[in-house]
Amino acid sequence: MAAPRSPRRERERERERPRGPATGGDQVHSWTLLTGQALDAAWRLARGSVTAAVSLLVATLCYFRRLHLHLARRLKWWIGYLQRKFKRNLSVEAEVDLLSYCVREWKGETPRAKLMRKAYEELFWRHHIKCVRQVRRDDYDALRSVLFQIFSQGLSFPSWMKDKDIVKLPEKLLFSQGCNWIQQYSFGPEKYTGSNVFGKLRRCVELLKTQWAEFSGIKDYHKRGSMCNVLFSDAILEYKLYEALKFIMLYQVTEAYEQMKTNQTVPSLFRLLFSRETSPDPLSFMMNHLNAVGDTCGLEQIDMFILGYSLEVKIKVFRLFKFSSKDFVVCYPEEPLRDWPEISLLTENDRHYHIPVF
């Protein structure tokens, strides 16, 4: 009887026997393993390529972003440079929406800001003012605001100017009325000019006469507007026109003073002017008030009366800081002698003026 085989020897003999062909299960396992390894290698390769592509894309975007910011800054600089170089420096700006201007200028909740917002809303809803034209803030802005509207509306000469050659008025004051003190007239920031004052005043008044005649002869509103843009971007011409207006005011004050000396009837505004301690006569008015206009101060209220009377226009002023009072809307002069044309201004402080557009 044969002895039983050891399990250990049986396993060793099994290993020593030649193996037969692999079964179907082994083949599937091998293919699965190879496929997984191939996919894993492909994924690692693809992941590396994608990472590199994303990094390159991010670097490219960062570069173009920095380039865009750099070009934007350079373009902004060049636009500002070209605007400063070629754009006319208008002393009367284009129309802007009234309420938008108010929101931009009067933010916050201070009592004054609230008052101004209410005043602007009153102009918009009750007085039907839709836009505003900002006027350069200097000591000529009241004269600028008035003259701009006279020219842009094509208003005609005052009646008294039609009867006189206003170019000869400087010499008339000197030779006919003995006003040799006119040599102390100051042209804004310019001080005493001596004997040259007559020639300079004559040139200023002649320019005013020429420009006024030209604008009043143009019937097309848009053409007058274009011409105003040209004129009110030339500081030298503007300066001469405003000095001519100052002289016209001085001439009217001198005429009224001479009439009062002969007991003639004059408008009450001149009696009020001469009742002040600082302007009892034309010389005092010139030295203490008019010479400073354009230099250290603008027009006072009494000056606005004289300006309206001299140019024969009714100057209607909306004084926003006087909102909800009887002085919110005032006219210079209060009672025009005739049916004079009306122009409008608005002010926030009685020092600087802007032009309302209805």
Side-chain angles (χ1 to χ4, degrees):
M1 185 173 178
R5 298 179 179 177
S6 169
R8 182 178 179 180
R9 289 181 179 178
E10 286 293 329
R11 288 195 297 272
E12 290 177 352
R13 288 179 180 177
E14 282 292 328
R15 283 196 297 270
E16 292 174 355
R17 290 176 186 171
R19 293 179 177 273
T23 63
D26 293 336
Q27 289 180 349
V28 170
H29 177 71
S30 299
W31 280 107
T32 302
L33 182 61
L34 291 172
T35 303
Q37 292 174 346
L39 290 175
D40 185 58
W43 166 245
R44 286 197 298 271
L45 180 62
R47 185 174 59 184
S49 300
V50 170
T51 302
V54 170
S55 300
L56 179 62
L57 180 60
V58 170
T60 303
L61 291 176
C62 290
Y63 169 77
F64 278 107
R65 183 174 181 272
R66 288 195 296 269
L67 179 63
H68 173 265
L69 293 175
H70 173 73
L71 292 177
R73 285 194 295 268
R74 297 301 298 174
L75 181 61
K76 184 178 180 180
W77 185 89
W78 276 105
I79 290 176
Y81 171 77
L82 293 175
Q83 286 179 339
R84 291 190 300 271
K85 187 172 181 63
F86 297 107
K87 184 180 179 180
R88 290 194 180 100
N89 186 22
L90 296 178
S91 60
V92 180
E93 298 183 13
E95 300 176 8
V96 296
D97 180 75
L98 182 75
L99 295 183
S100 299
Y101 170 80
C102 171
V103 170
R104 185 176 73 244
E105 295 293 322
W106 293 101
K107 301 176 182 178
E109 297 301 322
T110 63
R112 183 170 177 81
K114 292 180 179 179
L115 177 70
M116 287 299 170
R117 288 198 293 267
K118 290 180 180 179
Y120 275 104
E121 290 174 359
E122 177 82 359
L123 294 184
F124 184 86
W125 294 110
R126 183 173 179 180
H127 297 279
H128 309 293
I129 297 174
K130 304 305 179 184
C131 299
V132 62
R133 301 188 74 142
Q134 292 178 258
V135 178
R136 180 185 298 155
R137 296 193 172 200
D138 58 20
D139 293 321
Y140 283 121
D141 61 359
L143 295 171
R144 179 181 293 114
S145 301
V146 170
L147 190 62
F148 181 90
Q149 293 188 76
I150 289 176
F151 284 178
S152 63
Q153 295 179 26
L155 302 183
S156 59
F157 283 111
S159 58
W160 70 269
M161 285 190 187
K162 297 175 182 178
D163 301 330
K164 292 182 175 68
D165 184 1
I166 62 173
V167 177
K168 297 179 180 179
L169 294 183
E171 285 82 0
K172 179 183 177 182
L173 286 184
L174 176 62
F175 299 113
S176 299
Q177 299 177 218
C179 301
N180 58 352
W181 46 261
I182 197 69
Q183 297 182 51
Q184 301 178 63
Y185 183 94
S186 292
F187 293 82
E190 294 184 38
K191 302 305 179 184
Y192 174 74
T193 53
S195 59
N196 295 329
V197 69
F198 297 102
K200 192 165 186 176
L201 278 173
R202 184 184 180 96
R203 289 190 294 272
C204 292
V205 175
E206 186 174 14
L207 176 65
L208 176 65
K209 179 181 179 180
T210 302
Q211 292 292 328
W212 200 328
E214 184 175 2
F215 276 95
S216 63
I218 297 174
K219 303 305 179 184
D220 184 79
Y221 171 79
H222 297 288
K223 186 176 180 180
R224 290 198 305 267
S226 299
M227 291 178 61
C228 279
N229 289 338
V230 175
L231 178 60
F232 287 87
S233 62
D234 190 323
I236 297 177
L237 290 182
E238 279 192 77
Y239 159 80
K240 293 179 180 179
L241 292 172
Y242 305 144
E243 290 302 324
L245 290 181
K246 285 171 52 180
F247 174 74
I248 294 298
M249 294 169 61
L250 179 61
Y251 173 78
Q252 288 290 348
V253 168
T254 305
E255 285 284 287
Y257 185 75
E258 294 297 325
Q259 291 171 4
M260 286 178 60
K261 289 198 302 184
T262 57
N263 295 321
Q264 298 184 45
T265 302
V266 297
S268 59
L269 66 95
F270 291 107
R271 298 188 181 277
L272 176 62
L273 173 70
F274 296 131
S275 67
R276 298 190 303 180
E277 292 183 358
T278 56
S279 58
D281 51 57
L283 172 60
S284 301
F285 170 68
M286 183 187 76
M287 297 299 294
N288 297 328
H289 299 277
L290 202 61
N291 277 354
V293 174
D295 181 19
T296 59
C297 67
L299 296 184
E300 301 176 11
Q301 279 192 284
I302 186 65
D303 302 327
M304 296 290 285
F305 281 106
I306 298 171
L307 179 64
Y309 177 83
S310 301
L311 304 181
E312 293 188 357
V313 293
K314 179 181 178 181
I315 305 174
K316 185 177 183 180
V317 180
F318 297 93
R319 306 168 75 203
L320 304 189
F321 67 103
K322 294 290 187 179
F323 178 66
S324 295
S325 74
K326 62 182 180 62
D327 295 323
F328 176 57
V329 181
V330 296
C331 294
Y332 307 110
E334 294 178 347
E335 298 179 359
L337 302 182
R338 303 176 186 82
D339 188 19
W340 291 348
E342 180 179 290
I343 61 177
S344 298
L345 308 178
L346 65 85
T347 179
E348 298 172 349
N349 51 25
D350 263 354
R351 293 190 303 273
H352 299 294
Y353 296 85
H354 297 308
I355 300 173
V357 181
F358 294 84

